Amino acid sequence: MGHPFPIREIARQAGLSEATVDRVLNGRGGVRESTAREVHRAMADLDRQRTQVRLVGRTFMVDIVMQSPERFSTAVRAALEAELPSLHPAVVRSRFHFRETGPAGELVAVLDRIGRRGSQGVILKAPDVPEITAAVGRLAASGVPVVTLVTDLPASARLGHVGSDNRAAGATAAYLMGQWLGDRPGNVLTSLSSGFFRNEEEREMGFRSAMRARYPGRALVEITEGQGLDATQYDLVRDALDRDPEIRAVYSIGGGNIATLRAFEDAGRECAVFVAHDLDHDNTRLLREHRLSAVLHHDLRHDMREACHLVMRAHGALPPAGPTLPSAIQVVTPYNMPPTALAG
């Protein structure tokens, strides 16, 4: 079998003779199975240690660029900072570029400035528009790898994407919605922060497709462009409630849930089922208070760790690996909240 280590080095690591290691590697027999396992374990240990050596003393300056409500960017920052110890012996330093809303040109200016200044990598959450795609191409051409977070830019030159399967998340929301509403009449309000974020579009498509297949008589009422901000979200929800007296449930794809609930209360209306995304500080409190039915959550710490690993691999500091798998979708209720959320 091929291997990158001298037999002498493997033998020293395993505490065995070179002749024994040679027999195992060349399949000559006459060696106990437990001894063969020791040889393979020694090779795995050497490979891990070689990776560690490549990382010692390496510092990666990574820029995190996001357009999202403050509650989500705060959660991302906390997730990255919690993962930093797991990235040792490499050191990851981060620069944060957060904004809640604004024209795409402002994000493009940030990305171009990073390209001129230099960076080991960019972790990006941005709308899927041509200007952003072009800016990612300029970064890639200048040698700066870009990893998209939560919402993808598949037509861009990004290195990779980390996040959950958004269509599956939307279909899961439809399943929960249908089960909990049962035979009760009523329409469902679907709320997106913007039509330009691919993750929200995919969630909406998954939700609509599953609802159409399983509950074809249930009408869906869509609102969008609230940017996930309470000030704009309240007016959009209140207008929808005034127009449609049959809205009884909400699938919140893009956030602004405190404002949505306030709009229901001010209109004197009941929200029978409310499914949302992400355990940010707002949703954690609302779920604890039983004002949300469930939150579809994925592990942001896992996403940030995978994003940093992709950047490190781009610089040859980690060995190649297979494709990045989507983050697991967790259905969180008031009764199975993670310990970190309960402590918040």
Side-chain angles (χ1 to χ4, degrees):
M1 60 179 294
H3 58 86
F5 308 109
I7 288 178
R8 180 177 300 175
E9 190 175 355
I10 299 171
R12 187 184 305 118
Q13 180 73 25
L16 300 169
S17 71
E18 293 181 30
T20 298
V21 171
D22 183 70
R23 284 200 297 274
V24 171
L25 295 180
N26 291 287
R28 294 200 179 98
V31 180
R32 290 193 302 271
E33 185 178 339
S34 60
T35 301
R37 285 199 298 269
E38 289 179 23
V39 171
H40 292 296
R41 189 179 304 118
M43 293 173 64
D45 290 343
L46 286 171
D47 191 53
R48 267 195 308 275
Q49 292 164 20
R50 183 177 61 170
T51 295
Q52 295 290 302
V53 168
R54 285 201 298 264
L55 290 173
V56 168
R58 294 288 297 271
T59 298
F60 297 88
M61 178 61 75
V62 177
D63 289 271
I64 295 85
V65 181
M66 295 179 59
Q67 178 173 315
S68 70
E70 178 273 336
R71 60 182 174 271
F72 187 74
S73 56
T74 297
V76 168
R77 184 197 293 265
L80 175 60
E81 291 173 349
E83 278 303 303
L84 291 180
S86 75
L87 302 173
H88 288 169
V91 175
V92 174
R93 296 177 58 197
S94 50
R95 295 182 292 226
F96 296 96
H97 314 267
F98 294 160
R99 65 174 201 159
E100 291 196 305
T101 187
E106 293 180 3
L107 270 181
V108 169
V110 170
L111 296 173
D112 286 342
R113 188 161 59 248
I114 291 169
R116 291 191 298 270
R117 184 178 57 196
S119 176
Q120 271 72 56
V122 171
I123 299 173
L124 176 64
K125 179 183 181 295
D128 185 8
V129 296
E131 306 96 290
I132 302 293
T133 296
V136 170
R138 291 191 292 273
L139 280 170
S142 67
V144 178
V146 177
V147 178
T148 53
L149 171 69
V150 177
T151 184
D152 200 6
L153 303 171
S156 73
R158 54 92 167 132
L159 173 68
H161 171 69
V162 293
S164 60
D165 182 334
N166 288 298
R167 284 183 185 251
T172 300
Y175 175 79
L176 296 173
M177 186 69 67
Q179 292 292 307
W180 285 335
L181 279 177
D183 295 330
R184 288 178 291 176
N187 300 335
V188 179
L189 181 69
T190 62
S191 170
L192 294 82
S193 73
S194 171
F196 294 105
F197 286 104
R198 181 170 287 267
N199 67 318
E200 295 191 17
E201 179 185 59
E202 291 176 344
R203 290 172 184 175
E204 194 272 340
M205 291 170 66
F207 183 79
R208 189 174 293 275
S209 176
M211 289 293 290
R212 185 166 53 242
R214 296 179 62 90
Y215 315 104
R218 188 79 66 181
L220 306 183
V221 180
E222 180 180 310
I223 60 173
T224 188
E225 304 309 320
Q227 306 303 321
L229 304 178
D230 287 342
T232 48
Q233 183 72 7
Y234 178 89
D235 292 337
L236 289 170
V237 176
R238 191 62 193 269
D239 287 347
L241 293 175
D242 290 343
R243 290 194 310 270
D244 190 335
E246 302 304 318
I247 293 174
R248 291 179 53 90
V250 173
Y251 173 38
S252 174
I253 300 170
N257 300 325
I258 290 176
T260 297
L261 286 166
R262 191 172 74 250
F264 269 84
E265 291 166 0
D266 291 350
R269 301 270 288 276
E270 176 199 14
C271 183
V273 181
F274 197 133
V275 179
H277 280 272
D278 302 315
L279 275 180
D280 55 40
H281 52 75
D282 282 358
N283 286 344
T284 296
R285 178 169 64 83
L286 294 172
L287 194 61
R288 190 185 294 128
E289 295 170 354
H290 292 245
R291 299 176 71 194
L292 299 180
S293 308
V295 170
L296 301 179
H297 182 64
H298 65 280
D299 188 352
L300 281 175
R301 288 185 58 170
H302 171 272
D303 289 348
M304 299 309 291
R305 181 170 64 251
E306 289 299 310
C308 290
H309 284 171
L310 284 169
V311 170
M312 291 177 183
R313 288 191 188 101
H315 293 281
L318 287 177
T324 302
L325 299 177
S327 306
I329 301 165
Q330 305 170 36
V331 179
V332 184
T333 73
Y335 300 101
N336 69 332
M337 295 175 68
T340 52
L342 288 170

